[in-house]
Amino acid sequence: MRISKGALLVVVALLVPFVVEFRTALSWFGIKLTILESLALAGVLVIGLLLWAVWPENGNGGTGTADSS
Amino acid sequence: MATSPPTEVTAMRNAYVDQFPDEARVIKAAFWSSFIALAIGGTLGLVQALHRTDVFRFIQSPDYYTVLTAHGVLLAITFTIFFLVGTFTWAVTTSLDRGVVDVRFTWAWYIMMVIGTVLVAIAIFSGFLESAPSVLGSELNADVLFTFYAPLEAHPIFYIGLVLFVVGSWLAGVDWFRTWLAWRSENPDERIPLPTFMVLTTTLFWYICTFGVALSILVFLLPWSLGITESVNPLLTRTLFWYFGHAVVYFWLMPAYMMWYIMLPKFSGGKLFSDPLARVVFVLFLLLSTPLGIHHQYLDPGIAEGYKFIAMTNTMFLLLPSLLTAFTVVASMEHGARQRGGEGYLGWLKALPWRNPIFTGMALAGLMFAAAGFSGMINAGMNINYLVHNTWWVVGHFHLTVGTAVALTFMAASYWFIPQLTGKELWNRSVALGQVLLWFIGMTFMSNAMHRSGLFGMPRRTAEPQYQGFDFEPAVGTVGEINMQVALGGVILTLSLALFLLNMIMTSIGDDSESIPDNTYAGTLSGAEDSPRILDNLKLWTAIAVVLVIIAYTLPLASIIDAGGLFGPGIEGVRLSTWVDPAVIESLGEVIR
Amino acid sequence: MSSKTEQREPEHVQTLGHEEYDPIGTAILIGIYFLILVLLWIFMYFVEFLGNGPTVVGMALTVVGLA
Ligand code: HEM
Ligand SMILES: [Cu+2]
């Protein structure tokens, strides 16, 4: 793990405002996402994040920060 | 480093309840009063969110305003202030390392506040009755919203309850001052410990600002609702309300700020960056909290633009302490993260204790407050305010401030306080972490949609904002989508609230635990010895604060009374012009304009 | 200060005093926040002063004053 499980959970939560606002922001440029498309985007982002988080770091693979306290 | 893991049974537990068992009981009672208000008020919030958006309507629309009054009063006044008095009592006793002078006095003000709340609640909730009973010669109800200014009129019991509640809070302030004076006579040369300093400065501006609302209730609203006076000057009661109404915002916020200053650094694993900076911030709040209430009245006719401009200028100055706070608090978190081995420009963020619901709740609350900083700057600008005034934008804004920065910090702090006050371990830390994250997510949905609704003109305080022959035109998406987002956010928030209460109840009925951490707060990197002594001169700051209030309010109040009479237009006899030459006010007014 | 502020942190790996500690990360974060505020203010300027009406309605282009 590259980040602790707690931090991962927090980053997932932080994605929510990002996706919600991203949809609004895109529409100023004439790109209108439907709700389903935004949900799909959110799904892709979460999966990407999870992959990044569990991917071993260069060299010392697997010895992530221990999830403590 | 020399530490014992939290699970190891230490010889002597040293939680708050072990140090101050008597005080712990009062504080616990205050917290439970606040949780009950939160439970009822939050549930009503869901009712509102579903009703307005027409997702689910089970009350009559006229009753919506009873619900809204209860939601506003229970959450913005009862929940926040009960939590505040508990926190402040904890802070004074902990940092002075001594109990209150007489705990019976502490119980007395607490009970007074409870009686006040019960009276207010009876008056409000009678609004749901088919035929409300007649008490004291008028029908029992109080559909006046939490701002309770004229022309809305409540039953006298509502005002009497409010007075008892506020006087109770004044006595709480007396209690803290008394305890501090007793400490000072034993420690004549020491600096005021930071937490006590925060409590005292906050209490001082509370005295200054509640003076206005006491005047409004005792001289105008209560006699009016009792039928003693015939009418009131609505603009005057509005202005007196907002004289108090902005400062009360900071009154809610100060216990949250205190938690960010003295607890968040500790949970981050570090120290408060600067004690002097923290003192400066609280002094600035004492000085500036009150003389800017008119910024809530940018659209009120009858107040000259010049006064509004002055209020706007003061408001912009008040951004300063909030920015100072952002810097100090984040720097303290970074200090903690680096002591925990965090590295890099931003990589240290990973080293913060995100698994800890107390830390994460407070950090997310602070983040939402930063977002609210932007919508607040829009509200504060006189011209741009016209765009959003009385729309749902404003409701979106204050659900980020009081509804999250304050409420979420309080909930997160409860995960620390309740074990300290009961000697029982938190029931479930994972549920607690989920709870704070859910609040953040739910509020993102609800508040974002509210802000956007405001931009296309959706009004606040409206049971059925669906109009015939008129459609709102959102810039993005549809009204239906935005309504769904509000409803979804409301449901998630209510779920989060339920999880919070569950955790509090389960913790309270759990077993005693020996592994409660000691009752401590954060140390400082740059301590009190670095802050100039003049910062502790409370008399000086109070005097300046009073002068600023007089400067900001004398002329506006004089011209309001001159134009509309003390007790309403046409009620002669107390016209201000009998003692001030109207020409003087006229010409002063010209200068301002 | 007093024992009231003494800390015991299990994850504590180093102690940083006032001299060794330089809040560079904080400066970056606050800088980012200011940048966002400025961008939003600029955006608000277009909406409020160059838009066609007092509220955000209509096409994106009219709102940002391009059409
Ligand atoms: C379960 C969470 C909550 C939900 C679903 C919720 C929902 C709402 C809604 C929909 C309104 C707008 C009513 C309208 O404009 O017609 C509102 C107003 C308000 N809310 Fe909340 N809210 C929640 C939590 C809170 C909290 C925690 C606070 C404060 C600590 C708060 C304070 C207020 C205030 C002061 C108003 C304005 C009342 C008025 O206009 O008189 N709310 N809430
Ligand atoms: Cu205000």
Side-chain angles (χ1 to χ4, degrees):
Chain A
M1 290 285 285
R2 289 181 192 228
I3 56 174
S4 67
K5 276 189 216 133
L8 188 60
L9 218 55
V10 172
V11 178
V12 172
L14 285 175
L15 275 180
V16 174
F18 176 75
V19 171
V20 171
E21 298 289 1
F22 187 62
R23 177 163 179 256
T24 319
L26 271 189
S27 74
W28 297 110
F29 302 100
I31 306 168
K32 308 230 165 177
L33 294 186
T34 62
I35 293 184
L36 268 183
E37 283 163 346
S38 332
L39 278 178
L41 174 70
V44 170
L45 287 175
V46 172
I47 292 172
L49 186 73
L50 287 178
L51 283 179
W52 171 82
V54 297
W55 213 259
E57 271 172 89
N58 288 346
N60 56 346
T63 50
T65 342
D67 183 18
S68 46
S69 68
Chain B
M1 288 274 122
T3 52
S4 48
T7 42
E8 187 180 298
V9 178
T10 38
M12 265 287 281
R13 194 180 68 174
N14 202 14
Y16 187 80
V17 60
D18 307 311
Q19 301 166 336
F20 304 104
D22 295 338
E23 284 81 357
R25 236 169 280 135
V26 197
I27 299 175
K28 207 164 54 183
F31 281 166
W32 275 103
S33 311
S34 115
F35 296 161
I36 293 170
L38 179 64
I40 304 174
T43 313
L44 297 177
L46 181 64
V47 174
Q48 289 162 199
L50 300 180
H51 189 96
R52 278 190 55 121
T53 55
D54 203 8
V55 171
F56 179 53
R57 284 185 175 157
F58 66 95
I59 53 164
Q60 302 288 314
S61 282
D63 283 341
Y64 181 85
Y65 300 94
T66 309
V67 172
L68 189 54
T69 306
H71 178 76
V73 170
L74 285 178
L75 290 175
I77 298 183
T78 317
F79 159 62
T80 48
I81 297 182
F82 268 121
F83 199 89
L84 176 144
V85 294
T87 309
F88 278 11
T89 307
W90 165 84
V92 167
T93 47
T94 297
S95 66
L96 298 180
D97 206 5
R98 59 158 293 150
V100 294
V101 177
D102 183 349
V103 78
R104 283 170 307 180
F105 182 70
T106 311
W107 277 111
W109 58 251
Y110 165 71
I111 289 168
M112 189 164 179
M113 289 174 72
V114 172
I115 296 174
T117 307
V118 170
L119 291 183
V120 167
I122 289 176
I124 296 175
F125 282 99
S126 300
F128 287 120
L129 298 177
E130 276 296 325
S131 55
S134 182
V135 182
L136 290 170
S138 55
E139 209 179 289
L140 197 59
N141 73 44
D143 298 339
V144 290
L145 305 178
F146 83 107
T147 42
F148 63 84
Y149 35 61
L152 298 178
E153 186 182 15
H155 190 275
I157 292 229
F158 175 82
Y159 301 116
I160 293 170
L162 276 181
V163 169
L164 287 179
F165 184 80
V166 170
V167 173
S169 74
W170 287 351
L171 295 179
V174 169
D175 203 7
W176 303 321
F177 265 96
R178 240 176 128 195
T179 308
W180 166 60
L181 289 174
W183 172 87
R184 199 178 59 174
S185 62
E186 294 155 11
N187 305 273
D189 297 320
E190 273 191 60
R191 297 297 295 266
I192 310 176
L194 185 60
T196 301
F197 182 82
M198 293 170 164
V199 169
L200 299 182
T201 45
T202 306
T203 305
L204 285 170
F205 82 66
W206 180 243
Y207 286 143
I208 295 178
C209 77
T210 42
F211 171 72
V213 80
L215 204 67
S216 164
I217 295 178
L218 291 176
V219 180
F220 301 110
L221 296 175
L222 185 56
W224 176 53
S225 83
L226 284 169
I228 298 172
T229 50
E230 211 172 298
S231 68
V232 293
N233 175 346
L235 185 57
L236 182 59
T237 61
R238 270 175 82 87
T239 307
L240 286 175
F241 177 84
W242 285 120
Y243 167 91
F244 150 87
H246 185 83
V248 72
V249 167
Y250 286 108
F251 194 56
W252 306 328
L253 201 56
M254 287 309 104
Y257 267 39
M258 174 196 264
M259 289 294 119
W260 298 349
Y261 275 106
I262 69 174
M263 296 311 266
L264 200 50
K266 161 179 145 160
F267 289 114
S268 315
K271 290 183 168 180
L272 174 61
F273 188 65
S274 163
D275 168 295
L277 220 51
R279 282 178 208 254
V280 167
V281 165
F282 276 75
V283 166
L284 284 172
F285 279 120
L286 166 57
L287 295 184
L288 292 174
S289 284
T290 315
L292 40 68
I294 290 179
H295 73 199
H296 291 264
Q297 299 176 285
Y298 285 148
L299 254 74
D300 279 19
I303 299 180
E305 295 281 285
Y307 305 136
K308 296 177 181 172
F309 191 84
I310 293 175
M312 173 167 85
T313 315
N314 285 347
T315 307
M316 297 302 174
F317 273 115
L318 206 49
L319 287 174
L320 183 68
S322 287
L323 291 173
L324 284 176
T325 299
F327 176 80
T328 320
V329 171
V330 177
S332 312
M333 282 166 49
E334 184 181 351
H335 179 248
R338 295 204 186 278
Q339 291 206 29
R340 291 163 62 97
E343 275 162 6
Y345 285 128
L346 291 177
W348 54 272
L349 284 168
K350 285 192 292 187
L352 288 167
W354 296 107
R355 178 69 186 75
N356 180 347
I358 310 172
F359 170 81
T360 302
M362 290 191 194
L364 291 179
L367 187 65
M368 283 238 152
F369 194 58
F374 174 69
S375 52
M377 280 160 67
I378 297 293
N379 300 341
M382 251 171 89
N383 48 354
I384 305 182
N385 180 282
Y386 293 177
L387 179 71
V388 295
H389 200 89
N390 267 344
T391 68
W392 237 14
W393 167 285
V394 176
V395 183
H397 165 74
F398 63 65
H399 279 87
L400 292 181
T401 55
V402 68
T404 302
V406 173
L408 186 54
T409 301
F410 286 1
M411 289 189 270
S414 302
Y415 294 136
W416 152 262
F417 277 130
I418 294 300
Q420 284 295 319
L421 295 170
T422 57
K424 296 170 179 180
E425 208 159 355
L426 186 65
W427 174 63
N428 191 315
R429 280 169 62 94
S430 302
V431 168
L433 183 63
Q435 186 267 321
V436 297
L437 290 172
L438 279 179
W439 191 274
F440 177 82
I441 293 173
M443 201 50 96
T444 299
F445 282 123
M446 188 169 94
S447 165
N448 169 276
M450 284 174 163
H451 277 100
R452 284 165 56 200
S453 306
L455 286 180
F456 58 76
M458 175 85 79
R460 65 183 283 203
R461 294 181 160 175
T462 305
E464 295 183 22
Q466 289 85 18
Y467 303 104
Q468 265 157 18
F470 169 80
D471 286 317
F472 289 111
E473 291 181 46
V476 182
T478 62
V479 175
E481 266 170 38
I482 291 179
N483 278 343
M484 281 307 142
Q485 205 179 306
V486 171
L488 173 68
V491 170
I492 298 177
L493 284 168
T494 313
L495 177 66
S496 166
L497 181 59
L499 291 177
F500 169 73
L501 293 166
L502 177 72
N503 222 336
M504 289 296 108
I505 293 171
M506 295 308 282
T507 304
S508 297
I509 61 178
D511 293 327
D512 254 21
S513 160
E514 281 306 312
S515 58
I516 307 294
D518 291 356
N519 176 36
T520 58
Y521 57 92
T524 51
L525 274 178
S526 156
E529 60 284 358
D530 296 332
S531 55
R533 281 220 167 237
I534 191 165
L535 282 175
D536 288 12
N537 189 338
L538 298 177
K539 287 197 185 109
L540 172 70
W541 303 121
T542 311
I544 300 179
V546 171
V547 169
L548 288 178
V549 165
I550 292 173
I551 293 176
Y553 267 100
T554 310
L555 287 178
L557 284 178
S559 69
I560 288 168
I561 295 170
D562 196 57
L566 255 185
F567 291 94
I571 313 288
E572 289 299 331
V574 236
R575 298 271 300 200
L576 191 85
S577 24
T578 52
W579 55 276
V580 175
D581 186 353
V584 174
I585 292 178
E586 227 356 79
S587 54
L588 280 172
E590 283 307 317
V591 172
I592 293 288
R593 256 170 255 145
Chain C
M1 287 181 92
S2 66
S3 64
K4 284 286 159 192
T5 59
E6 256 166 38
Q7 314 272 317
R8 299 140 150 236
E9 254 297 322
E11 289 87 17
H12 193 102
V13 297
Q14 57 173 338
T15 301
L16 289 173
H18 198 248
E19 303 306 315
E20 305 97 75
Y21 171 54
D22 190 13
I24 176 74
T26 303
I28 294 173
L29 286 181
I30 302 273
I32 294 173
Y33 180 57
F34 274 148
L35 206 70
I36 294 173
L37 282 188
V38 168
L39 288 177
L40 285 172
W41 260 103
I42 294 173
F43 176 64
M44 202 64 215
Y45 171 77
F46 283 107
V47 171
E48 172 64 7
F49 295 104
L50 302 184
N52 291 328
T55 48
V56 185
V57 288
M59 291 269 305
L61 287 183
T62 59
V63 166
V64 293
L66 295 177

